[in-house]
Amino acid sequence: MKKIAKLVLGLSLLAGSSLSAGAAFAATAPAITSSTIITTGSPYLKQLPYTSQGKIYGSVPKDTKLTVLENTNNYFVKVNYNGQTGYISTSFIKAAGGGTSTAPAPVPAPTPAPSKPGTSGSSSATWSKQADGILSFAQSLQGKVQYVYAKNDTKNLIFDCSSFTKYVFNKEGIHLPWGARAQYKLGTPVSKSELRKGDLVFFSTTATAGNKDTVNKIGHVGIYIGNNKFIHNVNPKDDVVIGDLNNTWQKNHYVASARIL
């Protein structure tokens, strides 16, 4: 077995940066509303209502009650949080029951974006089917993908760890940012004991292991398969492989997990 400890040198990515421009979502006609919503995850508060474009002001904590200023498109709504106006993903909100709203209709969840467990429109059949599609596609790329740090070349299948997860999730219509830390912040944190297929698992690397903060400690990402196995684009020598959370390196460097589906 190849020694994982030798592999981490290629894994220290600037995980918090969203380097990819990505394809913007097509906006629908905005509908002004004063509906009250609650965040079901910790979505980014963004400058623009498009995936991977515009400045990120920060994240909005889970269970924050907000007023929708505008239903901008199928994927983002406009809100004001702590004096900053911006856009948050509709994947991580729900209508606030009993809220004081003049237009209390729930904000519809986007069709291609992931449904969060327990929110309107989510179902075990939906997330399970999406997870199977993601994992099947990821495993089909073994022997085809080349690992190169800080690369997101979809034409030639040249990726780092997070551009690889971004690429395979995109095939199921789920748009992730580029960057392991950004992907963690997009999802809903889950414990190791709660892992299910399709969840993202995050690790520290030589460059990030010294950080105490969870997000800053993250330097690598993979996709959980089940039975403590996960698939990841690991380094220039091995590229896409299946790892085991019970192995020594993974145990020592495991940081956190997050649910996207």
Side-chain angles (χ1 to χ4, degrees):
M1 180 180 292
K2 298 181 178 70
K3 294 184 178 180
I4 301 297
K6 294 182 179 179
L7 309 183
V8 299
L9 295 178
L11 299 176
S12 96
L13 59 106
L14 299 175
S17 62
S18 295
L19 305 176
S20 167
F25 289 125
T28 58
I32 304 300
T33 179
S34 58
S35 295
T36 305
I37 58 170
I38 296 176
T39 55
T40 58
S42 300
Y44 284 141
L45 183 67
K46 292 175 57 65
Q47 179 188 26
L48 299 174
Y50 305 105
T51 297
S52 299
Q53 293 190 16
K55 182 187 299 183
I56 294 175
Y57 298 122
S59 60
V60 181
K62 184 178 180 182
D63 297 324
T64 300
K65 184 177 286 189
L66 299 165
T67 296
V68 176
L69 304 178
E70 177 184 280
N71 282 318
T72 308
N73 56 39
N74 286 338
Y75 307 97
F76 289 91
V77 292
K78 188 176 184 179
V79 299
N80 185 288
Y81 174 66
N82 282 350
Q84 177 64 61
T85 298
Y87 302 87
I88 62 173
S89 170
T90 56
S91 296
F92 304 101
I93 63 175
K94 66 180 179 181
T100 56
S101 83
T102 57
V107 179
T111 300
S115 296
K116 306 300 287 182
T119 62
S120 176
S122 67
S123 70
S124 60
T126 299
W127 76 258
S128 182
K129 183 177 179 180
Q130 286 179 320
D132 288 341
I134 288 165
L135 291 169
S136 176
F137 182 56
Q139 292 178 66
S140 76
L141 294 172
Q142 289 182 275
K144 300 176 183 177
V145 162
Q146 179 184 356
Y147 180 98
V148 175
Y149 170 70
K151 281 289 185 179
N152 181 26
D153 185 344
T154 58
K155 181 179 180 180
N156 297 303
L157 299 181
I158 304 173
F159 304 110
D160 61 18
C161 66
S162 65
S163 57
F164 172 72
T165 53
K166 179 181 186 295
Y167 179 67
V168 296
F169 269 76
N170 187 65
K171 285 295 183 179
E172 284 294 315
I174 300 166
H175 302 276
L176 300 182
W178 184 6
R181 294 176 188 174
Q183 290 176 6
Y184 172 73
K185 288 162 72 174
L186 180 69
T188 299
V190 293
S191 68
K192 205 173 186 180
S193 62
E194 296 173 320
L195 280 170
R196 70 185 190 189
K197 63 183 180 180
D199 287 345
L200 295 178
V201 287
F202 299 89
F203 304 89
S204 64
T205 66
T206 300
T208 66
N211 293 305
K212 294 182 179 180
D213 175 74
T214 296
V215 174
N216 290 330
K217 204 175 186 70
I218 291 170
H220 184 59
V221 60
I223 309 167
Y224 189 67
I225 298 173
N227 296 320
N228 288 311
K229 300 293 194 298
F230 68 102
I231 188 165
H232 58 155
N233 192 25
V234 64
N235 66 26
K237 184 177 180 181
D238 295 287
D239 303 315
V240 178
V241 295
I242 293 175
D244 193 323
L245 293 178
N246 288 326
N247 286 347
T248 301
W249 188 90
Q250 281 84 347
K251 281 184 176 180
N252 291 339
H253 288 267
Y254 173 83
V255 176
S257 304
R259 182 157 298 155
I260 302 296
L261 305 178

